[in-house]
Amino acid sequence: MAPIFLTPPTDPHTALSISAQANTFLSAQKTLWSSLPYPLSLFLNTESQEKWTSYENLFLALLRTGDHDNAYTCLEALTTRFGKTNDHILALQGLYQEATAKDKEELEEVMKAYDEVLKEDQTIFSVRKRRAALLRSVGKPEEAIADLTVLLDASPTDGEAWAELSDLYLEVGALEQAVYCLEEVLLVTPHAWNMHARLGEVLYMSAVKMEGGEQTKTLSDSMRRFCRSIELCDGYLRGYYGLRLTTSKLLEVLHDGKKGQVATSDPVTGDLAPPSVATVKKLNQLATAKLGEIVRRGTAGEKGWDGYSEAELKAAKALIDSDTQKIER
């Protein structure tokens, strides 16, 4: 099984790479079954986790690239293997119907189908997640929030649902609730460097709307989250980008005496004191140097530095250049 099929198509490049090999993959699977005569084919063991993971990833990639015919072929294979009433298959069938819906009326029919499934069993979380995603896509974030809240009441350790709920709260401007949800994600997956960075981003968004000691405290918390993300993943561009952004803002705040008294460590609440100016400067320099290295080597396409998207590299370069222009002025 080609390794690429075991990679979830979470970005356009991966989706295109996987879908480009759809015909080869499906033909190989068909040939495998037809290569032996009956009854010898009954003894052909093709069961493996990798096989069905590949089918699902290919299915998702084909939906993203609009190849609905081959996507349906993958869905049929999965349905035959796991059954029409399997919870996960019900969600994949709904996803296919969403992707192929031609108008709002057809999407409403998909929603009704989800409702019928949930009437029979409220605990089919995969379907409830699809229903929440559909509500969000049709511009009903409040209803999607209500759906995910019901799900999390029954399954409070579902990190994926907490992350989705955080995005929904962010969409409606409820930053405090978004932070809470991301903290719940990290209770479930404490080593998820991308979630530490995401929490850092939301804290930064909250901090820019604050003033005084509260702003300093929130910026400091944001900085620590970005530090944790790069501690867990040394080459994480988004972590270094956030660290550079946060430390630059924090240096402004710490140098501005008009921002009010800076809070100290609180033994009751457990809040940490803000870092020293010297520490923030060192972290800012570290982030700048690492971003520069990533941009330089990533743009050159050096081996081991080719996992960054063009958009990420451009954004990092723009951040470095913007501060350089400030210094020149």
Side-chain angles (χ1 to χ4, degrees), residues 26 96 108 149 165 194 240 264:
L26 295 173
Y96 178 82
E108 289 294 337
T149 302
L165 186 57
N194 59 325
Y240 285 106
T264 57

Side-chain angles (χ1 to χ4, degrees), residues 49-326:
Q49 182 178 350
E50 290 79 8
K51 172 183 176 178
W52 300 112
T53 298
S54 298
Y55 261 110
E56 182 172 344
N57 286 338
L58 179 58
F59 167 73
L60 296 173
L62 291 167
L63 285 186
R64 290 195 69 167
T65 56
D67 187 349
H68 296 153
D69 291 339
N70 276 330
Y72 187 74
T73 300
C74 293
L75 181 58
E76 279 190 317
L78 288 163
T79 304
T80 300
R81 169 60 183 84
F82 297 102
K84 292 181 179 180
T85 58
N86 177 275
D87 292 357
H88 193 59
I89 296 300
L90 287 171
L92 292 181
Q93 289 173 339
L95 181 59
Y96 178 82
Q97 291 166 1
E98 289 178 43
T100 56
K102 295 181 177 62
D103 50 41
K104 189 175 180 179
E105 286 70 26
E106 290 190 10
L107 285 175
E108 289 294 337
E109 290 300 316
V110 178
M111 186 73 73
K112 289 177 183 178
Y114 288 149
D115 291 339
E116 288 300 318
V117 171
L118 293 172
K119 278 181 183 178
E120 296 182 11
D121 188 349
Q122 291 281 329
T123 63
I124 302 180
F125 298 144
S126 56
V127 173
R128 188 170 289 281
K129 286 181 183 180
R130 283 301 335 144
R131 186 179 189 277
L134 180 55
L135 285 168
R136 183 181 183 182
S137 70
V138 296
K140 298 179 179 179
E142 291 83 4
E143 292 183 39
I145 288 171
D147 243 27
L148 287 177
T149 302
V150 170
L151 187 156
L152 287 165
D153 283 341
S155 180
T157 58
D158 191 327
E160 183 183 63
W162 279 114
E164 180 70 12
L165 186 57
S166 173
D167 284 347
L168 284 163
Y169 276 128
L170 196 59
E171 191 174 312
V172 298
L175 295 176
E176 187 176 345
Q177 289 88 336
V179 167
Y180 174 83
C181 292
L182 288 171
E183 289 173 342
E184 291 294 320
V185 173
L186 290 170
L187 287 176
V188 181
T189 54
H191 297 113
W193 60 84
N194 59 325
M195 288 294 104
H196 280 284
R198 183 58 173 162
L199 179 52
E201 291 167 358
V202 178
L203 286 168
Y204 180 82
M205 285 186 274
S206 300
V208 296
K209 298 181 179 181
M210 299 174 178
E211 294 181 353
E214 189 65 24
Q215 183 184 51
T216 305
K217 174 187 173 301
T218 305
L219 281 171
S220 300
D221 290 342
S222 173
M223 184 194 72
R224 293 185 181 104
R225 291 298 180 177
F226 286 120
C227 286
R228 181 58 175 156
S229 76
I230 61 175
E231 179 186 13
L232 291 167
C233 182
D234 180 57
Y236 192 42
L237 186 151
R238 195 163 184 166
Y240 285 106
Y241 186 98
L243 183 61
R244 171 62 186 269
L245 200 65
T246 306
T247 51
S248 295
K249 182 67 176 178
L250 192 53
L251 284 172
E252 291 179 16
V253 172
L254 292 174
H255 278 116
D256 191 347
K258 296 180 180 180
K259 292 292 182 180
Q261 285 287 331
V262 174
T264 57
S265 297
D266 189 331
V268 178
T269 64
D271 291 339
L272 298 174
S276 66
V277 172
T279 298
V280 179
K281 281 183 177 179
K282 287 180 181 179
L283 289 171
N284 185 272
Q285 291 166 359
L286 169 68
T288 302
K290 190 66 177 183
L291 282 174
E293 182 183 20
I294 291 173
V295 170
R296 184 178 69 258
R297 304 182 76 170
T299 303
E302 292 186 27
K303 186 177 181 181
W305 296 80
D306 54 358
Y308 304 103
S309 71
E310 184 180 352
E312 287 177 323
L313 294 173
K314 284 183 177 179
K317 187 176 186 305
L319 179 63
I320 297 171
D321 291 346
S322 66
D323 280 358
T324 303
Q325 290 169 5
K326 287 179 184 178

